[in-house]
Amino acid sequence: MAPLDLASLNPEQRSAVVHRGGPLLVLAGAGSGKTRVIVHRIASLVEEGIPPWSILAVTFTNKAAGELRERVGRLLGGTGPSATPDRSAASDVRCSTFHSFGASLLRREAEAVGLTRDFTIYDEDDQLSLAKRLLREAGREADSAAARELLSAIDRIKNGAGDGAEVEDVLELCGRFERALRAANAVDFGDLLALPVRLFESRPDVLDRWRRRFRHVLVDEFQDTNVVQYRLLRLLCPTGADLCVVGDDDQSIYRWRGADVRHILGFEHDFANAQVVKLTQNYRSDGNVLAAAQAVIAKNPHRHDKTLWTERPSGAPLRLLSAQDERDEADRIAAELAELHSEGTVWSEMAVFYRINAQSRVLEEALRIARVPYVIVRGRSFYERAEIKDAVAYLRLMANPRSDVDLLRAIGAPPRGIGETTLERLSRHASAAGLCLFDALAEGELSRVEGLNAGSRGRLARFRDLVVELRAAAAESAGAAAEAAVVTSGLLERWASSSEPDAAERGENLRELVGAAREADERWASQPREAGEDLPEGGPLVRFLEEIALLGDADGEAGAERVSLMTLHAAKGLEFDAVFIAGMEEGIFPHSRALAFDPSREEAGGRGTESEEMAEERRLCYVGFTRARRRLFVACARMRALFGDLRFNPPSRFLGEIPAELFDALPSFESSPVRPYPGAPSANGITVDYSYDQSWRSPERSFPRRPPRPSPAPARPIGAMGLTVRHAVFGVGKVVSADGEGPDAKLTIRFPGVGEKRIVARFVTPI
Ligand code: ATP
Ligand code: MG
């Protein structure tokens, strides 16, 4: 084994890598090598002879966990394709997310928490249907809104964010929800962390076993741990344990999910004798990019002052793409991407970030037209398609027949002529007899269900036989299980014989699922599960299901030779040569939610004190900017159609905070669509309206209360076309053409039953 090369680290990084004997906090800005410290530290522990299976590294996404393992492997065993002993040592290191760690812990300790090892992990949809059922049974309103409300209360309680004010009957419903989950041998997402904590707190013997198993714990992106994760960590790492956490309080962007930046700031207090290392050199970004990022984050109140420096050159200036509307913005981004590519930047080294998912559609269209290859990093979406969910319901039923939610989904897909009433009768019988639905389908039970005719009984029996047959196929491999779930179930046939327009695509998707399962089998054959980690009893199928369930938002395949499109939240930890940020407008980024809470609006034109929501948006901006190595493009549109709404957003305040000299050219306001708005002029002349009021979007208002100035820019086809609008006299109509822009534009609108009318935009409301 080549000795670990510590010369590639600066002195502070090295001190963090070699520190032994007690807790360690690396608190440092973006791109300063925190993740690099984690990788080297793991390698150095292994090199010292520490058993790799006693090392636990926790990161934020599965993708990051995989990368960590990969990088440790490279450090230890060279880069050859063959699995040298050192490389396999790296694969013995447990690299996972908090949730996947929790899942594997629960599989191991299943009995102690009232589960079997084949338990199912319910996603939001599953939880929603369960919540609806419980509300219905409790005689309460059982619509989606009520169910969501119940789920968020449950989540708050589980994640420790409950404020103690949950009312009695909510607590009672939470209890029922828990019991129903356990009866189905299922857990929800919050349970993956909450149950291990509860187990550790109630069973010192179990806790002791896990403490002795993982003697070396490392956590990346520590600033985004929530209360439960922190509790789990504290339980696992007693005083004096070898715990190393790295993070950046300026990159804390998951407050809305319960993350609490105070953990990083209170670390020294909670972990006695913690060593603190600060890193100040940024190795990732050119000077201009770093300066822009620091200018934005510097405006946040209450931050640890951390100044980063770089030895890298200033590099290319930033470019502001100020567009007419969202289509223009997308076209210009596509053109810049194509140009960078022609100059030699590979596609996979470029990324486009946006604040809200809905922005991606227009970007995708533009990239397709410009023939720019791209991939949307949004891992879960494939598994959220209806036909895939149907197939997954079969797979889960095969692994865990007690999961009623899955049985109810599978029994109706493809349709088998089993109606609501039949299912209701079956359910009633099952709950009276204390059985899960599958057990209620057993020969002896079925005959006892009241009110079933022979036809229904026969159909139910045939479905039961199908599940029994499928379960036999499940044990072999994930591929065989998936094939059975789509073929034997009749799902594939259903779409093959359908004339619905997207039937072919759905069939393709089902085949892709089988392909994904086979791939997983192959992957596991060449890379066995981490040492000491038990294979779930259900074998490959349960393992495949766990992978699917724990796929995070940011776990999509990385772009091999493709530009990556993702939300800003999914971008953390990553780096690219060129980064584009679309939609830098007040109300988009910063998000309108932050504006709504922003006390600075009270002081017209002034900055006031910004809300915590705004501070988080600013951190998100810092995360976005610091992903770029060399080129940073920021884009905004003067007018934007989004969610069927036409918006005239002023440029983002974050744009106004970037020093003018960092840009290559700023648009001249006489000819540019980025117009000065009333408000405080900024350092660079992009004047931002801090008092921008969006309340006109509420349904009871008509067009903007604060109309933007009419634009001197030449008219072009704009986002208003095709919009549905309401007029006080003529009712609802569709915009067929637009002359001019903004509230003064003359729109030609077709009103059904009335005909075409020419109306000034300010007299209609987009709906
Ligand atoms: P983030 O806050 O964005 O997660 P980070 O602090 O984790 O960033 P890394 O991703 O570890 O930073 O490092 C940023 C880049 O700088 C990487 O490309 C890394 O390889 C490089 N780098 C870090 N330290 C050094 C060093 N001492 N010498 C050379 N390159 C380095
Ligand atoms: Mg990092």
Side-chain angles (χ1 to χ4, degrees):
M1 187 189 305
L4 190 60
D5 180 17
L6 293 181
S8 69
L9 301 170
N10 67 33
E12 292 77 27
Q13 292 174 333
R14 212 175 303 141
S15 77
V17 167
V18 302
H19 170 83
R20 297 287 181 273
L24 170 70
L25 163 67
V26 179
L27 179 60
S32 58
K34 295 183 296 298
T35 304
R36 192 180 175 99
V37 162
I38 296 238
V39 172
H40 277 78
R41 194 174 158 81
I42 296 173
S44 131
L45 287 169
V46 173
E47 204 188 48
E48 256 171 54
I50 304 263
W53 44 261
S54 70
I55 302 174
L56 168 66
V58 183
T59 64
F60 213 74
T61 61
N62 300 299
K63 193 162 112 226
E67 268 171 29
L68 215 55
R69 200 176 302 127
E70 182 65 23
R71 283 169 70 177
V72 173
R74 270 205 303 269
L75 264 188
L76 286 174
T79 50
S82 64
T84 68
D86 301 340
R87 279 177 80 82
S88 72
S91 73
D92 285 349
V93 175
R94 175 80 65 88
C95 299
S96 55
T97 62
F98 272 111
H99 282 100
S100 63
F101 174 68
S104 76
L105 189 151
L106 287 181
R107 298 232 183 261
R108 223 159 174 199
E109 307 289 350
E111 273 167 39
V113 290
L115 294 164
T116 80
R117 287 186 174 175
D118 302 330
F119 66 80
T120 303
I121 302 169
Y122 276 4
D123 68 10
E124 224 178 290
D125 268 6
D126 307 321
Q127 292 176 46
L128 217 53
S129 33
L130 187 57
K132 281 185 190 163
R133 205 177 84 202
L134 292 179
L135 286 168
R136 231 184 350 259
E137 283 173 13
R140 308 261 299 246
E141 182 110 13
D143 59 5
S144 292
R148 265 181 224 289
E149 211 165 288
L150 174 61
L151 288 181
S152 74
I154 292 173
D155 198 53
R156 273 199 305 278
I157 292 168
K158 275 194 193 149
N159 275 308
D163 49 12
E166 312 296 351
V167 278
E168 196 67 20
D169 66 331
V170 173
L171 288 175
E172 148 74 19
L173 278 169
C174 289
R176 281 199 209 185
F177 188 85
E178 289 276 280
R179 288 192 291 278
L181 275 176
R182 286 311 93 78
N185 193 26
V187 299
D188 65 19
F189 230 64
D191 285 335
L192 293 176
L193 302 170
L195 292 181
V197 165
R198 225 182 288 165
L199 180 65
F200 280 172
E201 284 173 344
S202 60
R203 291 277 304 271
D205 56 319
V206 176
L207 174 60
D208 191 53
R209 194 149 28 82
W210 284 87
R211 280 179 173 175
R212 272 187 282 144
R213 163 69 200 277
F214 290 113
R215 293 196 181 275
H216 308 271
V217 179
L218 304 97
V219 184
D220 200 355
E221 309 279 0
F222 183 65
Q223 73 279 357
D224 284 320
T225 46
N226 67 21
V227 180
V228 182
Q229 293 164 341
Y230 191 66
R231 232 156 84 196
L232 190 62
L233 214 53
R234 286 200 69 176
L235 284 161
L236 202 56
C237 303
T239 320
D242 181 23
L243 168 66
C244 164
V245 305
V246 312
D248 177 3
D249 50 327
D250 284 337
Q251 295 185 64
S252 157
I253 54 174
Y254 280 95
R255 208 178 78 103
W256 53 282
R257 270 199 206 162
D260 193 338
V261 69
R262 278 175 305 184
H263 296 144
I264 202 168
L265 304 176
F267 187 82
E268 289 172 77
H269 176 261
D270 290 344
F271 290 86
N273 303 324
Q275 167 100 10
V276 180
V277 172
K278 298 200 171 164
L279 309 174
T280 55
Q281 180 170 2
N282 173 295
Y283 289 90
R284 180 183 293 142
S285 308
D286 282 353
N288 287 338
V289 171
L290 194 60
Q294 302 217 82
V296 170
I297 196 69
K299 294 280 194 301
N300 257 7
H302 319 300
R303 52 184 289 268
H304 271 227
D305 198 18
K306 290 193 299 302
T307 315
L308 286 172
W309 59 280
T310 178
E311 277 177 355
R312 292 168 64 105
S314 307
L318 272 65
R319 179 163 296 169
L320 170 64
L321 308 176
S322 67
Q324 292 282 6
D325 57 31
E326 79 282 359
R327 280 161 214 236
D328 185 26
E329 177 187 55
D331 289 345
R332 296 175 66 164
I333 290 176
E336 295 281 358
L337 285 166
E339 184 163 342
L340 286 175
H341 183 252
S342 70
E343 290 166 0
T345 310
V346 295
W347 296 123
S348 55
E349 277 304 336
M350 300 190 259
V352 184
F353 304 150
Y354 37 84
R355 179 67 181 85
I356 16 191
N357 271 312
Q359 286 172 260
S360 68
R361 192 182 51 82
V362 178
L363 287 164
E364 277 187 82
E365 265 170 37
L367 297 190
R368 252 198 312 268
I369 291 168
R371 294 179 188 279
V372 171
Y374 68 88
V375 57
I376 294 227
V377 179
R378 130 181 104 189
R380 288 207 55 77
S381 62
F382 177 74
Y383 292 97
E384 272 154 14
R385 295 173 200 186
E387 66 277 12
I388 297 300
K389 287 197 148 216
D390 291 342
V392 170
Y394 278 98
L395 287 173
R396 300 205 307 196
L397 201 53
M398 289 153 78
N400 170 22
R402 275 161 59 191
S403 180
D404 288 356
V405 167
D406 290 307
L407 188 138
L408 288 172
R409 179 161 193 132
I411 209 166
R416 299 195 159 77
I418 301 174
E420 282 292 316
T421 327
T422 303
L423 289 175
E424 201 118 299
R425 288 183 175 133
L426 181 71
S427 288
R428 214 169 311 133
H429 175 79
S431 47
L435 298 171
C436 66
L437 291 175
F438 182 71
D439 287 344
L441 289 176
E443 192 82 64
E445 287 300 326
L446 210 46
S447 53
R448 277 190 239 146
V449 180
E450 277 172 33
L452 285 189
N453 59 31
S456 304
R457 192 164 292 139
R459 283 189 284 274
L460 288 174
R462 275 197 294 283
F463 179 73
R464 174 199 63 216
D465 293 343
L466 169 69
V467 176
V468 171
E469 182 188 345
L470 288 174
R471 271 171 68 73
E476 244 176 85
S477 64
E483 184 159 345
V486 310
V487 179
T488 317
S489 68
L491 279 176
L492 200 60
E493 172 57 28
R494 180 215 167 153
W495 295 113
S497 58
S498 159
S499 58
E500 286 174 50
D502 55 357
E505 190 190 333
R506 288 171 187 259
E508 279 302 307
N509 288 339
L510 288 173
R511 281 195 200 95
E512 211 174 310
L513 177 71
V514 178
R518 288 199 184 120
E519 256 170 45
D521 284 326
E522 280 167 27
R523 204 162 1 100
W524 297 327
S526 65
Q527 174 209 338
R529 191 133 170 147
E530 294 163 41
E533 192 172 354
D534 290 353
L535 255 188
E537 267 166 22
L541 171 58
V542 174
R543 189 166 162 186
F544 179 58
L545 288 171
E546 184 174 310
E547 274 198 7
I548 297 176
L550 297 180
L551 257 187
D553 303 338
D555 280 323
E557 48 174 324
E561 274 320 291
R562 284 184 281 175
V563 173
S564 302
L565 264 59
M566 68 187 87
T567 63
L568 283 147
H569 279 98
K572 76 171 179 175
L574 307 179
E575 58 187 39
F576 300 90
D577 275 344
V579 162
F580 291 74
I581 302 182
M584 294 213 56
E585 297 145 32
E586 292 285 292
I588 303 286
F589 188 33
H591 196 276
S592 55
R593 203 172 36 214
L595 295 186
F597 287 107
D598 186 2
S600 69
R601 282 197 328 172
E602 300 303 315
E603 299 166 37
R607 296 193 39 101
T609 326
E610 288 184 344
S611 60
E612 190 36 54
E613 282 74 12
M614 185 58 77
E616 178 135 331
E617 294 292 305
R618 196 182 294 284
R619 292 193 289 267
L620 193 55
C621 183
Y622 174 73
V623 169
F625 284 10
T626 51
R627 299 309 98 198
R629 290 197 199 97
R630 299 188 299 108
R631 299 297 310 269
L632 177 58
F633 294 76
V634 283
C636 62
R638 210 181 61 81
M639 176 191 290
R640 176 179 300 273
L642 192 73
F643 303 128
D645 206 9
L646 194 58
R647 303 166 182 225
F648 303 89
N649 301 319
S652 167
R653 63 187 65 198
F654 306 145
L655 287 181
E657 290 160 5
I658 305 170
E661 64 271 18
L662 298 181
F663 287 103
D664 57 351
L666 278 173
S668 118
F669 291 120
E670 267 63 56
S671 61
S672 149
V674 175
R675 296 187 44 77
Y677 277 74
S682 62
N684 56 20
I686 301 175
T687 313
V688 180
D689 181 5
Y690 291 108
S691 60
Y692 178 53
D693 188 342
Q694 299 196 33
S695 46
W696 58 271
R697 292 227 186 86
S698 61
E700 67 272 17
R701 281 256 171 80
S702 62
F703 224 67
R705 204 170 59 164
R706 174 195 291 282
R709 313 275 161 80
S711 162
R716 62 187 287 281
I718 53 156
M721 292 238 300
L723 276 185
T724 306
V725 294
R726 184 192 304 280
H727 183 267
V729 177
F730 301 117
V732 173
K734 227 182 182 64
V735 178
V736 292
S737 71
D739 186 2
E741 292 185 28
D744 293 325
K746 295 186 182 57
L747 307 178
T748 305
I749 305 171
R750 186 174 303 134
F751 294 97
V754 177
E756 280 185 9
K757 296 277 169 200
R758 237 168 117 73
I759 294 173
V760 175
R762 72 168 80 249
F763 295 116
V764 297
T765 319
I767 53 174

